[in-house]
Amino acid sequence: MDMDDIYQVNRLIYLGVAHSNGRKSLVSQHQREATELIQRFQAEESFQLMVIEGLKAMDLHLLEVEESGLRLAARHSGSLFAPTLTEYGKLLARNELKAAELLCVHCAIATAFFPTEADLDAPVEDLGVVMVEDVVEILRRFVCVEKDLPADDDIVHPQVRTAAQRFRELPEANPDSKRVGGGHSWVEMIIRVLDHIVETGYLLKFEEHEGEWEYRPTPTYQTAMKLATVYAFHAFRDVVSSYSDEPVAEEGEA
């Protein structure tokens, strides 16, 4: 193995990390190089073994070889490359959306896919699909239970509790959400977050029936939920799990 081989191994891993983290502009800028390295990886067993060893040394696991690069995931929570929900929030947070609100949506999506602890270890192909309506139902349960939590209950971060209050004030769906000044809705925020996770390769999106989209988790996404931001996700799920299905009388009802 000469220095040029070492350089190319490291470049393939570097571009694989960029690809796995959704750094589209960086990957696009070096797409020709990435394609050539992928071709060498598939054609030369010795080069492939060097890359695998390099990934192990960096606490990375190879999930899949894709045309745009290697799909990588962290081997454990202590890895430098372990993905977190906070990173998603930073990527999506814009002037009109706060990170705490995005974190609520991310936790609701994760809870829909992994309602129990056992689901985090189950083969992803055995997990069901999730639709926007499923995430809306999770948020309904969360804001319903959260509003009755004692003020000094610290199971949920204060910023997330503030976000829950804002969610209660937002409509679940808003036909004017795309118009200037039309406001936001739960559905709009959920779709924005889901689309972003699909773009970064953590979820797969299918249109089983016209206009009805279904989402499936990938091993990478399951790894992220299993190893990263454990407290935020588990605290959110604990609140949701305490939701009672017993009907509650609406205001004004006898």
Side-chain angles (χ1 to χ4, degrees), residues 3 19 25 28 45 47 96 100 108 153 171 174 183 211 214 218 242 246:
M3 294 302 296
H19 171 63
S25 60
S28 177
E45 183 178 358
F47 183 71
E96 73 275 19
D153 193 323
N174 187 347
E214 296 179 349
T218 64
S242 64
E246 295 179 4

Side-chain angles (χ1 to χ4, degrees), residues 159-171:
Q159 289 183 353
V160 177
R161 297 201 67 173
T162 300
Q165 173 61 40
R166 288 197 292 267
F167 270 114
R168 282 193 290 275
E169 297 170 354
L170 285 175

Side-chain angles (χ1 to χ4, degrees), residues 222-235:
Q222 187 181 43
T223 299
M225 296 305 102
K226 184 177 180 180
L227 303 179
T229 323
V230 174
Y231 175 78
F233 169 40
H234 285 235

Side-chain angles (χ1 to χ4, degrees), residues 97-139:
L97 295 178
K98 297 183 180 296
E101 292 173 339
L102 292 171
L103 183 58
C104 280
V105 176
H106 274 289
C107 286
I109 292 170
T111 300
F113 281 114
F114 313 109
T116 70
E117 190 70 16
D119 294 318
L120 290 169
D121 292 311
V124 291
E125 58 269 20
D126 292 344
L127 301 174
V129 300
V130 164
M131 301 180 70
V132 171
E133 292 79 5
D134 300 316
V135 184
V136 169
E137 177 59 27
I138 294 293
L139 281 173

Side-chain angles (χ1 to χ4, degrees), residues 144 147-148 243-254:
C144 179
K147 67 180 176 62
D148 293 327
Y243 175 82
S244 173
D245 289 327
E246 295 179 4
V248 178
E250 297 289 338
E251 292 184 13
E253 289 186 2

